[in-house]
């Protein structure tokens, strides 16, 4: 029987995860998996010369208990002479301000800290304790959520992160094997009580679905690793082929990309999809839109015919225009007034798509009775500073809504209000001279704006929809 140590070392060698002289940042929560990882690398350091650093994040979700986790990790590292970087991040406060999925926000903030530590200390590799059970959980969760190939590939042994890489040397071993290894080393760990809660999706899979699968076959986690490895290898090869075909299908023409429909259609469907994914990566610079299956489907549908012309609007003011056998991708052609409009007071201001906006003194005689195509709002001039402008959203925009202690991110507002992905970058935003978001026109208004005129209100604004 192959030992735990041999399995992991063989995996490290196969994927070339570690070299002599590496500086490694080990992500350590203090739990069983990460403490097993830390013990393993302390032993491995006797055979390969490298430096170990540890990063720990207290998410402040469990009060004193999570702070004691931090102290546990710091104490262990001090005993072993390891430099540790630790940080307490107020996740409850961030959740209050933004809403959203707590685990996703924890991960975002945690990895932002890891990135910061790596960049400040010239550490090129982040080591995490993901194992075979994690791979199985990720595979099943992806199948349940979307079933897209990009998500079904699961966790890679290594991937680019910051200016370095993340490596996962424990992928070939199971959680039970990690536990057994840690016990053999006489290691201790901290138990996270949140792991027992079924309110998290991953925990429901871990507690209920995977035990049933293991009753059928104890080797199901290893099978998941084998399957995802094959998917990763096959997909990487197909992407290599798509990259070679890319310039035959897509050309860069000054400030736009042009897709040749006949050349795209001449390729197998598997390559068509990947060519478009590569195009999206160029357009969106590896952002959240680069891996959007929805955008790929929209573009493929646009290319189904070469008759006449058609247009689809993509995020960030990118427009795909089909003209017969070609599709051009470029930033939406608008004049400066449509990008940012300084509003005239006490006059009607023309926006886009038949929308007009009036903003001015309450005493002005302009019609202010709400009708089927008009909505009237009021606010006090001391709350917002003129001049007022209309613009599109920017990164980091927030709006302070009624009933909320802190402002809410517009990205979360759009999700909560079910605004279609392709429409979010074209929603007009009303801001004041300090760039404070007063309202997202047609969606929500800030806490200081009311549909009912109050005694202190001396400004009104009216939205008129003439395309109704």
């Amino acid at each position: 029987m192959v030992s735990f140590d041999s399995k992991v070392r063989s995996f490290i060698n196969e994927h070339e995860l570690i070299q002599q002289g590496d500086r490694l940042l080990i992500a350590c929560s203090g739990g069983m998996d990460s403490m097993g990882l830390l013990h393993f690398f302390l032993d491995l350091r006797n055979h390969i010369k490298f430096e170990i650093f540890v990063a720990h994040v207290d998410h402040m979700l469990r009060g004193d208990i999570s702070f004691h986790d931090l102290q546990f990790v710091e104490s262990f590292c001090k005993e072993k002479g390891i430099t540790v970087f630790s940080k307490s991040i107020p996740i409850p406060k961030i959740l209050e301000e933004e809403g959203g999925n707590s685990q996703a926000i924890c991960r975002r903030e945690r990895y932002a800290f890891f990135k910061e530590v790596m960049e400040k200390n010239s550490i090129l590799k982040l080591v995490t304790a993901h194992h075979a059970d994690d791979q199985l959980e990720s595979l099943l969760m992806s199948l349940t959520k979307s079933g897209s190939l990009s998500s079904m590939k699961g966790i890679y042994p290594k991937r680019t992160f910051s200016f370095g890489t993340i490596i996962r040397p424990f992928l070939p071993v199971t959680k039970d094997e990690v536990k057994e290894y840690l016990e053999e080393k006489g290691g201790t760990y901290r138990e996270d009580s949140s792991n027992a809660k079924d309110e998290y999706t991953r925990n429901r899979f871990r507690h209920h679905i995977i035990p049933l699968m293991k009753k059928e076959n104890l080797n199901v986690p290893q099978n998941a690793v084998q399957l995802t490895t094959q998917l990763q290898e096959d997909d990487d090869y197909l992407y290599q082929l798509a990259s070679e075909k890319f310039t035959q299908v897509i050309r860069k023409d000054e400030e736009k990309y042009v897709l040749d429909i006949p050349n795209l259609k001449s390729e197998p469907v598997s390559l068509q999809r990947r060519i478009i994914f590569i195009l999206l990566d160029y357009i969106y610079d590896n952002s959240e839109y680069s891996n959007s299956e929805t955008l790929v489907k929209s573009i493929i549908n646009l290319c189904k015919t070469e008759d006449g012309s058609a247009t689809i609007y993509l995020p960030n003011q990118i427009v795909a225009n089909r003209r017969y056998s070609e599709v051009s991708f470029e930033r939406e052609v608008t004049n400066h007034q449509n990008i940012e409009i300084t509003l005239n007071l006490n006059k009607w201001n023309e926006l886009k798509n038949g929308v007009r906006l009036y903003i001015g003194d309450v005493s002005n005689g302009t019609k202010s009775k709400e009708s089927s195509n008009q909505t009237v709002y009021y606010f006090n001039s001391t709350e917002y500073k003129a001049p007022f402008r209309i613009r599109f959203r920017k990164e980091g925009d927030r709006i302070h809504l009624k009933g909320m202690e802190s402002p809410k991110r517009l990205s979360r507002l759009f999700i909560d209000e079910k605004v279609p992905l392709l429409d979010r970058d074209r929603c007009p935003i009303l801001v004041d001279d300090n760039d404070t978001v007063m309202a997202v026109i047609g969606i929500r208004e800030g806490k200081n704006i009311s549909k009912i005129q109050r005694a202190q209100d001396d400004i009104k604004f009216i939205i008129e929809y003439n395309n109704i």
Side-chain angles (χ1 to χ4, degrees):
M1 183 177 178
V2 181
S3 70
F4 179 94
D5 190 75
S6 296
K7 276 187 187 180
V8 178
R9 285 200 199 186
S10 176
F11 188 78
I12 288 172
N13 293 333
E14 178 187 355
H15 294 279
E16 300 179 338
L17 300 184
I18 299 171
Q19 283 78 39
Q20 293 275 359
D22 275 344
R23 290 163 62 84
L24 307 175
L25 181 66
I26 297 178
C28 184
S29 66
M32 182 181 70
D33 302 336
S34 61
M35 289 304 296
L37 183 71
L38 190 47
H39 276 276
F40 175 84
F41 272 87
L42 285 171
D43 281 351
L44 188 63
R45 194 169 57 173
N46 296 323
H47 305 278
I48 305 175
K49 290 184 179 179
F50 53 74
E51 292 184 78
I52 294 176
F53 303 87
V54 166
H56 175 85
V57 172
D58 170 16
H59 298 109
M60 302 177 71
L61 288 168
R62 293 175 292 123
D64 289 342
I65 295 175
S66 61
F67 181 68
H68 291 156
D69 293 346
L70 183 150
Q71 292 178 315
F72 169 77
V73 173
E74 289 184 338
S75 176
F76 179 87
C77 291
K78 183 178 180 181
E79 178 187 332
K80 300 296 182 181
I82 303 170
T83 300
V84 59
F85 303 95
S86 55
K87 183 176 183 179
S88 295
I89 300 177
I91 297 297
K93 185 175 186 298
I94 295 172
L95 283 169
E96 182 183 327
E97 293 176 356
E98 297 184 17
N101 181 285
S102 62
Q103 287 194 315
I105 289 175
C106 284
R107 186 185 189 283
R108 182 192 75 195
E109 297 297 323
R110 183 168 65 247
Y111 276 83
F113 174 63
F114 296 157
K115 180 175 183 287
E116 177 186 333
V117 171
M118 291 173 71
E119 292 177 354
K120 285 183 177 179
N121 297 277
S122 301
I123 301 171
L124 296 180
K125 290 181 180 178
L126 172 66
V127 192
T128 66
H130 293 96
H131 45 64
D133 290 73
D134 292 320
Q135 189 71 288
L136 176 59
E137 292 164 11
S138 296
L139 184 66
L140 294 174
M141 289 167 65
S142 297
L143 180 63
T144 304
K145 184 177 179 181
S146 66
S148 68
L149 181 58
S150 59
S151 64
M152 295 293 289
K153 290 186 296 181
I155 306 167
Y156 271 76
K158 62 180 176 182
R159 71 169 178 84
T160 302
F161 177 72
S162 184
F163 58 87
T165 56
I166 296 179
I167 61 173
R168 284 99 173 206
F170 272 13
L171 276 181
V173 294
T174 65
K175 189 176 186 70
D176 288 341
E177 288 177 297
V178 175
K179 182 179 182 181
E180 184 179 338
Y181 171 80
L182 185 59
E183 288 173 348
E184 288 176 359
K185 294 294 177 182
T188 57
Y189 62 93
R190 298 276 296 177
E191 189 66 58
D192 185 344
S193 60
S194 67
N195 289 334
K197 297 178 180 178
D198 274 355
E199 64 186 80
Y200 300 122
T201 304
R202 184 175 289 274
N203 285 356
R204 292 196 293 274
F205 278 88
R206 183 175 297 166
H207 298 156
H208 305 292
I209 305 220
I210 290 176
L212 290 175
M213 298 178 75
K214 285 186 175 180
K215 281 184 180 179
E216 298 295 328
N217 184 355
L218 278 174
N219 293 321
V220 66
Q222 290 93 332
N223 292 345
V225 172
Q226 179 177 308
L227 173 61
T228 52
T229 299
Q230 292 173 354
L231 287 174
Q232 290 166 8
E233 292 170 347
D234 291 352
D235 192 51
D236 290 346
Y237 176 65
L238 288 171
Y239 262 102
Q240 179 184 332
L241 294 180
S243 296
E244 293 169 0
K245 297 287 187 179
F246 184 80
T247 55
Q248 299 174 26
V249 177
I250 310 285
R251 73 176 189 272
K252 182 78 183 300
D253 187 359
E254 294 182 352
E255 297 300 316
K256 64 183 178 182
Y257 290 92
V258 180
L259 181 152
D260 186 292
I261 296 177
N263 285 350
L264 179 72
K265 287 183 174 179
S266 70
E267 301 298 337
V269 173
S270 60
L271 293 191
Q272 290 182 30
R273 294 177 61 256
R274 288 169 176 82
I275 287 170
I276 294 174
F277 273 125
I278 294 171
L279 172 65
L280 291 175
D281 194 32
Y282 278 117
I283 292 173
Y284 292 111
D285 191 26
N286 199 29
S287 72
E288 60 181 304
Y289 303 119
S290 301
N291 294 312
S292 171
E293 295 277 354
T294 301
L295 297 187
V296 170
K297 289 177 183 177
S298 299
I299 293 168
I300 287 179
N301 287 335
L302 185 66
C303 296
K304 283 185 176 178
T305 179
E306 299 172 42
D307 296 330
S309 62
T311 299
I312 60 173
Y313 294 90
L314 307 179
N316 293 355
Q317 289 82 56
I318 300 298
V319 180
N321 290 304
R322 191 193 73 223
R323 298 294 182 268
Y324 301 106
S325 64
E326 291 188 338
V327 180
S328 64
F329 298 81
E330 56 191 322
R331 193 160 295 281
E332 187 174 7
V333 179
T334 57
N335 57 40
H336 179 74
Q337 201 174 32
N338 283 333
I339 295 173
E340 185 170 297
I341 303 171
T342 298
L343 300 174
N344 295 309
L345 290 176
N346 298 310
K347 293 182 180 179
W348 283 101
N349 297 266
E350 300 292 335
L351 304 185
K352 295 178 64 177
N353 303 322
V355 179
R356 297 200 305 160
L357 191 146
Y358 171 90
I359 189 163
D361 297 334
V362 166
S363 58
N364 189 282
T366 300
K367 177 181 177 182
S368 61
K369 183 180 179 181
E370 187 170 337
S371 63
S372 60
N373 68 334
Q374 281 191 355
T375 308
V376 186
Y377 301 93
Y378 302 90
F379 64 91
N380 184 274
S381 57
T382 62
E383 300 288 350
Y384 301 108
K385 183 180 178 182
F388 306 105
R389 293 174 290 119
I390 290 288
R391 61 166 173 80
F392 296 125
R393 68 163 169 164
K394 298 191 300 189
E395 185 68 28
D397 270 344
R398 297 171 183 264
I399 183 171
H400 207 151
L401 301 173
K402 290 182 176 68
M404 293 190 68
E405 291 186 13
S406 303
K408 183 174 190 175
R409 286 183 181 269
L410 290 198
S411 55
R412 170 50 53 181
L413 176 71
F414 286 137
I415 293 170
D416 293 345
E417 297 294 329
K418 297 181 171 55
V419 178
L421 183 66
L422 300 183
D423 292 338
R424 295 174 191 175
D425 292 310
R426 297 195 297 275
C427 287
I429 312 294
L430 175 63
V431 299
D432 72 354
D433 192 47
N434 294 322
D435 213 34
T436 301
V437 176
M438 301 167 62
V440 181
I441 302 299
I443 298 176
R444 292 291 296 273
E445 302 76 45
K447 66 173 187 176
N448 296 320
I449 294 174
S450 172
K451 282 190 174 184
I452 300 172
Q453 185 177 356
R454 298 156 298 188
Q456 71 272 24
D457 292 333
D458 55 355
I459 301 288
K460 66 182 173 185
F461 76 89
I462 307 169
I463 305 172
E464 182 175 277
Y465 303 91
N466 293 319
N467 57 351
I468 297 178

